[in-house]
């Protein structure tokens, strides 16, 4: 797969953004816009999966009408011929892979939902944790454009490991706030999580090893742990 320097830079920028995101509606809204730009899409939506209710909730969307999204919430998510076909994939999937466009164009879902906002060619990316679906991204192009290329699927696939971490980010931040870590102490914990040794962390943070170990002692006290393994388990 050929990736231009601009596309590679875009992927790196999205990965950096994901590090600061969780699975909230606000975070998914931001990411939807970035994924649309990455793949040259015209429309986008993202839903969380509520396993208790067995339905999609908390829609974030771009260039789609709110009343049409509400129609999806109330009716079309239960009458969507695509979701069951693509939701179990562990990679980005073009709609045309699972249903030829000519077939899709004959469905109620296409004519009474997708076409209301002009959605024609799509990619679905469902993010899982283990066997559990967490959230998704659905990006679309209008009929004035061509279908997505294999390259766009591969670009999205590069993001999957980072996206899988998003659901853990909120819990991690909450844990650290509860423990009361300072910004510098958070940097130390991040460096430990990355597998860095004391010397590497000290050089990276431009502090002495002695100062680093003072930070570590305070972190252990605040987190009420006695080792790096316990620390990572509790705060990551």
């Amino acid at each position: 797969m050929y990736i231009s320097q601009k596309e590679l830079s875009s992927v790196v920028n999205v990965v950096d953004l994901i590090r600061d995101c969780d699975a909230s509606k606000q975070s998914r809204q931001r990411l939807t816009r970035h994924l649309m730009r990455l793949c040259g899409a015209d429309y986008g939506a993202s839903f969380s999966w509520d396993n208790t209710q067995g339905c999609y909730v908390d829609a974030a969307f771009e260039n789609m009408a709110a009343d049409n999204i509400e129609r999806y919430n109330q009716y079309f998510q239960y009458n969507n011929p695509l979701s069951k076909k693509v939701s179990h994939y562990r990679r980005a999937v073009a709609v045309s892979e699972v249903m030829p466009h000519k077939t899709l164009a004959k469905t109620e879902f296409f004519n009474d939902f997708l076409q209301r906002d002009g959605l024609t060619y799509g990619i679905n990316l469902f993010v899982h944790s283990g066997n559990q679906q967490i959230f998704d991204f659905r990006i679309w192009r209008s009929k004035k454009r061509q279908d997505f290329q294999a390259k766009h699927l591969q670009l999205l696939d590069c993001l999957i490991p980072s996206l899988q971490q998003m659901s853990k980010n909120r819990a991690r931040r909450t844990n650290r706030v509860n423990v009361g870590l300072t910004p510098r102490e958070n940097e130390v914990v991040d460096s430990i999580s990355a597998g860095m040794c004391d010397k590497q962390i000290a050089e990276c943070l431009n502090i002495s090893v002695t100062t680093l170990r003072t930070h570590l002692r305070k972190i252990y006290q605040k987190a009420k742990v006695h080792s790096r393994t316990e620390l990572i388990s509790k705060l990551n």
Side-chain angles (χ1 to χ4, degrees):
M1 174 184 68
Y2 171 75
I3 300 179
S4 69
Q5 187 61 42
K6 182 178 180 181
E7 289 168 334
L8 179 59
S9 177
S10 295
V11 169
V12 172
N13 289 338
V14 174
V15 169
D16 286 340
L17 173 64
I18 291 171
R19 291 195 185 105
D20 294 325
C21 289
D22 54 30
S24 67
K25 180 177 178 178
Q26 292 78 8
S27 288
R28 289 183 289 105
Q29 183 85 47
R30 293 175 63 197
L31 276 174
T32 297
R33 290 193 291 266
H34 282 268
L35 297 186
M36 288 168 60
R37 284 197 289 270
L38 179 64
C39 295
D42 302 303
Y43 316 93
S46 174
F47 296 84
S48 287
W49 174 253
D50 188 320
N51 198 49
T52 301
Q53 299 183 59
C55 64
Y56 295 102
V57 297
D58 291 335
F61 51 95
E62 287 288 316
N63 298 336
M64 297 181 67
D67 62 342
N68 205 25
I69 291 292
E70 185 57 28
R71 294 172 74 248
Y72 181 87
N73 291 335
Q74 298 298 324
Y75 176 77
F76 280 105
Q77 71 163 303
Y78 306 108
N79 296 275
N80 180 346
L82 300 174
S83 292
K84 290 183 179 179
K85 293 178 180 292
V86 300
S87 62
H88 298 298
Y89 279 81
R90 302 306 176 98
R91 62 174 176 84
V93 184
V95 169
S96 56
E97 284 186 67
V98 297
M99 182 175 291
H101 181 69
K102 288 183 179 180
T103 303
L104 177 64
K106 297 176 182 178
T107 65
E108 176 190 33
F109 181 69
F110 182 84
N111 289 288
D112 292 344
F113 172 67
L114 294 177
Q115 276 299 284
R116 286 203 171 208
D117 283 318
L119 286 66
T120 303
Y121 305 109
I123 293 177
N124 284 191
L125 175 59
F126 288 77
V127 181
H128 298 77
S129 176
N131 294 322
Q132 179 63 55
Q133 184 183 160
I134 312 171
F135 53 86
D136 60 58
F137 293 97
R138 313 174 191 194
I139 59 174
W140 292 81
R141 284 178 171 176
S142 73
K143 65 180 179 181
K144 297 179 181 179
R145 310 274 299 280
Q146 294 182 336
D147 200 352
F148 294 97
Q149 302 170 13
K151 175 175 67 173
H152 299 120
L153 301 175
Q154 293 168 328
L155 288 172
L156 293 176
D157 285 346
C158 292
L159 302 173
I160 291 175
S162 297
L163 291 170
Q164 289 173 329
Q165 293 298 314
M166 277 177 52
S167 62
K168 302 177 183 178
N169 288 350
R170 176 182 288 181
R172 178 179 63 193
R173 282 198 286 270
T174 300
N175 288 342
R176 293 189 184 185
V177 168
N178 291 340
V179 166
L181 299 187
T182 66
R184 176 61 89 183
E185 289 167 350
N186 271 308
E187 291 177 333
V188 171
V189 174
D190 286 338
S191 299
I192 292 173
S193 300
M196 299 169 67
C197 66
D198 285 1
K199 183 178 179 181
Q200 290 172 319
I201 297 173
E203 290 176 353
C204 182
L205 299 182
N206 197 27
I207 59 177
S208 69
V209 172
T210 300
T211 299
L212 169 64
R213 288 175 178 165
T214 298
H215 285 310
L216 281 172
R217 185 167 58 253
K218 291 180 180 179
I219 292 169
Y220 284 5
Q221 289 173 348
K222 290 180 178 180
K224 297 180 181 179
V225 299
H226 301 91
S227 69
R228 293 187 180 214
T229 301
E230 285 184 86
L231 181 67
I232 293 172
S233 177
K234 185 167 185 176
L235 298 186
N236 275 356

